[in-house]
Amino acid sequence: MLNDKLSNLIKEIKTITNNDFYLELSKIKTKGNYFLTRIQTSESFKKYTLDKIKRLYETYKDDAYQKKIILEDIKKLFFNNWDGAYSELTAYDLLNLIFDNPCKIQINDIKKENTLAKYCNDAEVSDVDGYLEDAICFLEIKTLRSRLYELINKLKSELESRSENDCFIIQSDYPLSIEISSDKSYSALKKEILNAKRNKERSLASKTIRGLFFRFYYERQPVLIESHNCETNYQMAERLETLPLNQYKQYVDGRFIKAYVCNGLNLNNNLICNEEFFRALARRVFCRLTKVEDVFDDNSDLSTAFIAKHLSGLLFIVDLSANVQKKIDNPKDLYKVYLYSNPNAEFANRLIGFRNFQFNLNMKNIKNICDDFEYDNY
């Protein structure tokens, strides 16, 4: 049965949206939904979230298409794909606080010949998350997280058992250089583990994710010690350096920015959400990968350098609403913004793009750090 706090949340959203919001209560997923967990345990987070929803609904309510996108994202908050939707809502809210003209959302009329999809094998053009008229740039919004830690924990929660007749405990060990980059790889890895369990194997060196090693226990033990690797911000930036280039077929000719949202809700995000890591990652992409002429992947013949040069900037949005301790009255104080411009970009207009973005951040008194690597590009 749905608890009172979630029922009240849904009622409040319906009120804010003039009953435009509809949700089948029986389909709500609370397991592993860190958003709903925090909503139920933090009144301040609930308030900041409802305020965010209200601002977005008021901005887009007169445009049927954009209103539909916002309502769909709100609905997704109640399911297992909550984090992508939360990141989109958060980014749209922040961008609308920065610029006078609201961000246009889910652009679906871009021609394939105007994107890097034209170079890819059997690729179709994708919708782009947003377009900023005031900064003259398109942007794609992602949740910033290292999936390895989360997916290993997900594997354990799905497969482990401590029952007397079917005890199966997974201990993992892995180097810092690996990452589970796709749902397909995750499914294959899960199948590997299940096959090993079926054969009562004591260990597994994964063939799906090279370098990933597991030990298995089929009896309950009073103490099971697991070791976890620690890495510096620079090691993490090295491991994740190609992350912003993934899904490059979405890049639009002209100015294209990847926006990453750190929401403080995902596991381990306290390690990834910091300025030192943001800058180290951006510099690797803009000042190192723009010189790597190797083919990036098997989806096209494009080099890593070619793709990296078509990324105009990286925007990191830190949303404090889930973790802030003191009361916040101004929504602008719920955000910190880190903007990095690519000094080696194929398309660059310093006056219109990067500088204008920075000017608006300062004018709206939003905490920010901006860097164009002018004296650090070598």
Side-chain angles (χ1 to χ4, degrees):
M1 180 179 292
L2 197 65
N3 65 43
D4 291 340
K5 288 189 176 181
L6 291 184
S7 296
N8 289 334
L9 174 68
I10 293 169
K11 289 178 183 177
E12 291 182 77
I13 293 175
K14 286 184 175 180
T15 300
I16 289 172
T17 61
N18 297 321
N19 288 320
D20 282 336
F21 179 73
Y22 172 76
L23 179 66
E24 291 186 43
L25 303 184
S26 61
K27 294 184 177 180
I28 291 176
K29 303 292 184 183
T30 57
K31 184 178 180 180
N33 189 322
Y34 305 123
F35 168 78
L36 292 182
T37 298
R38 191 61 60 88
I39 282 287
Q40 295 175 85
T41 57
S42 172
E43 284 299 318
S44 61
F45 178 60
K46 177 184 174 182
K47 178 187 181 302
Y48 298 143
T49 299
L50 288 172
D51 289 345
K52 181 188 299 181
I53 289 173
K54 184 176 182 179
R55 288 191 295 272
L56 289 168
Y57 181 79
E58 289 299 316
T59 298
Y60 296 108
K61 66 180 181 180
D62 295 326
D63 184 299
Y65 172 72
Q66 295 188 102
K67 181 177 74 171
K68 180 174 179 287
I69 299 299
I70 294 298
L71 292 172
E72 287 176 350
D73 272 352
I74 296 171
K75 184 181 294 186
K76 289 176 184 176
L77 298 177
F78 294 85
F79 301 95
N80 290 336
N81 56 345
W82 65 272
D83 57 342
Y86 184 84
S87 291
E88 288 186 6
L89 293 170
T90 298
Y92 295 145
D93 184 48
L94 179 275
L95 293 168
N96 291 346
L97 291 173
I98 297 174
F99 295 105
D100 295 331
N101 290 305
C103 178
K104 295 179 181 178
I105 63 178
Q106 291 298 315
I107 315 301
N108 60 4
D109 58 354
I110 300 173
K111 295 180 179 179
K112 182 176 180 178
E113 56 264 30
N114 293 328
T115 72
L116 292 193
K118 63 177 175 280
Y119 298 108
C120 299
N121 305 320
D122 302 320
E124 295 301 324
V125 66
S126 303
D127 291 357
V128 175
D129 287 334
Y131 176 73
L132 294 170
E133 183 179 340
D134 292 341
I136 313 182
C137 69
F138 292 91
L139 71 150
E140 191 66 21
I141 300 165
K142 301 293 182 184
T143 304
L144 181 61
R145 67 186 190 276
S146 176
R147 300 191 75 205
L148 179 62
Y149 180 88
E150 291 184 14
L151 291 180
I152 292 296
N153 279 279
K154 182 182 178 184
L155 270 171
K156 291 179 181 181
S157 68
E158 291 178 345
L159 301 180
E160 280 190 333
S161 169
R162 286 175 170 77
S163 66
E164 186 172 342
N165 298 324
D166 185 33
C167 183
F168 182 62
I169 301 172
I170 302 171
Q171 183 179 359
S172 55
D173 190 19
Y174 47 86
L176 300 176
S177 58
I178 64 174
E179 185 68 78
I180 302 176
S181 59
S182 69
D183 293 336
K184 183 178 180 180
S185 295
Y186 176 82
S187 297
L189 179 61
K190 184 176 179 179
K191 185 176 180 180
E192 276 189 309
I193 295 174
L194 287 172
N195 287 337
K197 178 186 178 183
R198 192 175 301 112
N199 297 325
K200 292 292 182 179
E201 295 177 11
R202 290 287 176 176
S203 63
L204 170 68
S206 175
K207 295 179 181 178
T208 301
I209 310 294
R210 300 288 181 180
L212 189 55
F213 183 81
F214 296 96
R215 284 175 289 277
F216 305 127
Y217 299 85
Y218 299 90
E219 61 281 333
R220 288 184 291 179
Q221 300 181 17
V223 178
L224 181 63
I225 300 175
E226 294 196 46
S227 58
H228 297 282
N229 286 297
C230 296
E231 59 185 334
T232 68
N233 292 313
Y234 297 101
Q235 288 174 314
M236 184 158 52
E238 180 180 20
R239 176 165 62 87
L240 299 176
E241 68 175 353
T242 61
L243 181 67
L245 305 189
N246 291 343
Q247 296 297 312
Y248 59 86
K249 70 172 186 176
Q250 298 173 311
Y251 290 16
V252 183
D253 291 342
R255 295 193 58 83
F256 187 87
I257 290 177
K258 271 279 184 80
Y260 286 100
V261 177
C262 303
N263 56 47
L265 293 170
N266 285 290
L267 289 173
N268 222 29
N269 258 13
N270 61 312
L271 299 179
I272 206 170
C273 299
N274 65 82
E275 176 192 345
E276 192 173 73
F277 167 71
F278 296 154
R279 191 181 190 280
L281 179 62
R283 188 174 183 275
R284 277 191 161 272
V285 176
F286 299 153
C287 302
R288 195 188 88 78
L289 296 187
T290 50
K291 301 175 179 66
V292 175
E293 295 299 336
D294 298 338
V295 173
F296 182 71
D297 61 17
D298 57 5
N299 292 315
S300 73
D301 294 327
L302 298 181
S303 69
T304 298
F306 184 91
I307 297 169
K309 288 177 182 178
H310 282 74
L311 184 61
S312 300
L314 285 171
L315 176 68
F316 299 94
I317 301 168
V318 177
D319 171 29
L320 304 173
S321 60
N323 308 95
V324 69
Q325 299 298 318
K326 61 181 180 179
K327 182 181 178 182
I328 301 293
D329 295 319
N330 190 330
K332 297 173 185 177
D333 294 334
L334 290 171
Y335 297 108
K336 289 183 179 178
V337 178
Y338 301 81
L339 174 64
Y340 302 94
S341 179
N342 187 352
N344 298 310
E346 186 76 17
F347 303 95
N349 188 323
R350 295 166 63 87
L351 180 62
I352 295 176
F354 176 74
R355 296 302 179 193
N356 188 47
F357 215 124
Q358 185 178 25
F359 175 79
N360 277 275
L361 283 166
N362 293 331
M363 284 291 293
K364 301 298 174 64
N365 295 315
I366 295 174
K367 296 176 182 176
N368 72 88
I369 292 178
C370 299
D371 196 338
D372 60 1
F373 301 102
E374 183 176 0
Y375 302 105
D376 203 15
N377 180 30
Y378 49 87

